[in-house]
Amino acid sequence: MAVSGKGTFSILGADVAVTGDIRAGADLHIDGQVEGDIACASLVQGGDSRIKGSITAQSARLAGHIEGAITVGELVIEASARIAGDVTYESITVAPGSQVDGRFTHRRGAGSAAATTSASMPGSAELKLVSGDGASA
């Protein structure tokens, strides 16, 4: 997981609920509830967390519930993740047991703009299914 060069991060604990957009140059770890769009350098979402809004980040490790579009460079979807929304990524790892109700779109190259690649290019995706480490989520 990449980190922003700033060496800072912010944590929203399990008892925190945010209504509104979050924009941060720092890395975020979210265990609470967010209703709004999130834009940050790197995002780690805890398994009991809920996000209702879009996510834009350079990298993300998602383990909770998400309702909204996701645009990320490097994406890891944990087994406990439940995603309802389209996913745009450069590289992706999907753990068995996770659920995604949406369309996957691969984008090439750097940049934070939404992908313009066509979903009709099935050979271009870098979708990787990994086996669990023996622990059930």
Side-chain angles (χ1 to χ4, degrees), residues 48-65:
D48 293 327
S49 173
R50 293 187 173 272
I51 297 172
K52 187 173 185 179
S54 67
I55 296 171
T56 304
Q58 294 168 356
S59 64
R61 178 176 296 271
L62 305 176
H65 291 257

Side-chain angles (χ1 to χ4, degrees):
M1 182 79 59
V3 292
S4 70
K6 299 180 182 182
T8 61
F9 64 94
S10 296
I11 298 173
L12 294 178
D15 61 337
V16 176
V18 175
T19 301
D21 296 346
I22 298 174
R23 306 228 184 285
D27 301 337
L28 294 177
H29 184 114
I30 297 177
D31 286 321
Q33 317 296 314
V34 175
E35 188 168 333
D37 297 340
I38 298 172
C40 61
S42 179
L43 174 66
V44 175
Q45 181 195 29
D48 293 327
S49 173
R50 293 187 173 272
I51 297 172
K52 187 173 185 179
S54 67
I55 296 171
T56 304
Q58 294 168 356
S59 64
R61 178 176 296 271
L62 305 176
H65 291 257
I66 299 109
E67 289 182 46
I70 299 168
T71 303
V72 177
E74 178 185 345
L75 178 60
V76 176
I77 301 175
E78 299 288 349
S80 59
R82 303 296 178 257
I83 299 170
D86 292 341
V87 178
T88 302
Y89 63 92
E90 290 177 27
S91 69
I92 189 169
T93 302
V94 181
S98 61
Q99 296 177 1
V100 179
D101 183 15
R103 184 175 63 189
F104 285 97
T105 303
H106 178 257
R107 73 170 180 194
R108 294 186 190 270
S112 59
T116 58
T117 57
S118 170
S120 65
M121 299 171 52
S124 67
E126 295 176 21
L127 185 61
K128 181 169 47 170
L129 184 64
V130 296
S131 63
D133 58 5
S136 297

